[in-house]
Amino acid sequence: GSGQVVCSPCAAGYFPEIEAQEECKPCSRGCYQDQTGETQCKPCLAGSSASEEGQATCDACQPGRYSAVDKAVICELCSRGYYQPEEGSTNSKSCIWCMTTKKFVFIPPTQRKKEQRP
């Protein structure tokens, strides 16, 4: 009898470099694969990133960060003195100015008080 090779699909986060190849390669940084047995990886979309190889999901940009491009490896920080309170932001325009007299802080809109003048 002849031996039969049993192929097992690549795990999530991996793909076969050449279709029907036995060795699975990790998805590159900035990409992911959330399904098993797929032949290519997907790019992380703006508002998310994949900083490690072989990720099964992209990480949404955390508050204070954003990514404006697909295939981001990291989410950029808002400039000093600016803050972005939402998760998954896709541009720096969502970063808002926040400043007190001596240090930078973020005060959510629901907690802001209107300034009263004498």
Side-chain angles (χ1 to χ4, degrees):
S2 65
Q4 186 172 355
V5 175
V6 176
C7 296
S8 56
C10 291
Y14 291 78
F15 71 103
E17 191 169 39
I18 302 170
E19 207 160 329
Q21 180 180 352
E22 291 178 29
E23 187 180 346
C24 294
K25 302 282 186 186
C27 293
S28 62
R29 295 169 61 195
C31 297
Y32 76 106
Q33 180 47 260
D34 55 349
Q35 304 288 317
T36 58
E38 295 298 316
T39 58
Q40 56 185 309
C41 297
K42 306 172 193 175
C44 291
L45 300 178
S48 65
S49 68
S51 60
E52 304 286 328
E53 289 185 338
Q55 287 195 212
T57 60
C58 297
D59 302 313
C61 294
Q62 294 301 305
R65 295 178 174 268
Y66 67 94
S67 74
V69 297
D70 293 347
K71 296 176 79 174
V73 174
I74 61 164
C75 293
E76 303 289 331
L77 280 169
C78 288
S79 298
R80 185 176 179 163
Y82 288 81
Y83 189 74
Q84 188 288 111
E86 302 296 321
E87 188 175 270
S89 178
T90 59
N91 65 60
S92 62
K93 290 181 182 174
S94 62
C95 296
I96 56 174
W97 173 250
C98 56
M99 185 179 148
T100 64
T101 53
K102 302 229 178 195
K103 61 182 178 178
F104 298 100
V105 296
F106 173 70
I107 301 170
T110 56
Q111 295 178 7
R112 294 180 189 158
K113 295 179 183 175
K114 290 189 178 185
E115 199 176 303
Q116 297 195 2
R117 297 189 176 204

